[in-house]
Amino acid sequence: MQKYQVILLLTFIVIVGSILRLYRLTEVPAGLIQDDALTYDAYSLLLTGRDHHGVWFPITFQSFNDWVLHGSPYLLIPFVKVLGLTTFGVRFPVSILSIVSIILIFFLAKRLTENVSFSLLAASLYSLSQFSIITSRWLSPNFLPFFIALDLLILIIAIEKSKKSHFLFA
């Protein structure tokens, strides 16, 4: 497969995935869920440096009777600053991470299998997966596919580079 064909197909997959993730973003599902309240922590951190419990730049965040992902409010601060405390402002950053995850999954599959066709298939399956589309509108669960794919890709690249330099793995 030619390089321009791969780029064209991957672009098409990302566009389809983007449309599925951004279509009626503020309307479906109706209303915010409990985990979306983390956005208020991002807003509070932006204004005061404290979460909604009054803890100064916390490492862990207590939501409403449970504990939630550590970095979520910090990742949301720039979006809250620009988009405000709106449904779109809550869901847009998570949808963007889900869209970027499509690309990361392509490169991860390509590094693991060295098969471009399989990599395109993996990206398209993730792009069309109902689970990934639904969770691209929820704050907590959708950070995980992005960071897992990113971490694995970085780990594989680091191992490949270390094998070439014979530094860590002789």
Side-chain angles (χ1 to χ4, degrees):
M1 192 177 292
Q2 299 290 341
K3 189 174 186 174
Y4 75 90
Q5 290 173 321
V6 173
I7 293 170
L8 191 63
L9 282 171
L10 183 59
T11 303
F12 177 74
I13 292 167
V14 170
I15 289 171
V16 169
S18 300
I19 291 169
L20 292 172
R21 283 159 177 75
L22 297 174
Y23 177 69
R24 298 179 62 193
L25 184 64
T26 60
E27 301 164 18
V28 178
L32 298 175
I33 63 171
Q34 176 179 329
D35 289 345
D36 294 332
L38 283 176
T39 310
Y40 183 75
D41 277 334
Y43 178 73
S44 181
L45 285 168
L46 178 67
L47 296 180
T48 66
R50 299 181 183 279
D51 69 356
H52 74 272
H53 291 286
V55 179
W56 188 74
F57 288 109
I59 294 172
T60 60
F61 288 88
Q62 182 178 1
S63 185
F64 300 97
N65 216 16
D66 68 344
W67 296 87
V68 295
L69 293 174
H70 306 300
S72 303
Y74 293 113
L75 291 171
L76 293 172
I77 289 174
F79 294 96
V80 169
K81 175 75 173 166
V82 174
L83 302 172
L85 283 175
T86 62
T87 305
F88 183 77
V90 172
R91 293 181 180 165
F92 183 69
V94 183
S95 295
I96 294 300
L97 286 180
S98 181
I99 292 166
V100 173
S101 295
I102 297 168
I103 300 166
L104 288 174
I105 287 170
F106 168 79
F107 285 110
L108 181 61
K110 190 169 180 273
R111 287 280 184 166
L112 289 172
T113 65
E114 297 178 4
N115 184 331
V116 174
S117 298
F118 179 80
S119 304
L120 288 168
L121 177 65
S124 62
L125 288 175
Y126 181 79
S127 174
L128 299 173
S129 165
Q130 282 185 325
F131 180 76
S132 71
I133 294 167
I134 290 169
T135 58
S136 72
R137 295 162 186 258
W138 299 342
L139 190 57
S140 291
N142 206 41
F143 284 153
L144 295 177
F146 171 80
F147 282 112
I148 289 172
L150 180 65
D151 291 347
L152 286 174
L153 187 59
I154 291 170
L155 177 66
I156 290 168
I157 291 170
I159 289 171
E160 288 173 357
K161 286 189 183 232
S162 68
K163 283 183 179 179
K164 288 180 184 174
S165 67
H166 302 291
F167 178 65
L168 295 175
F169 302 100

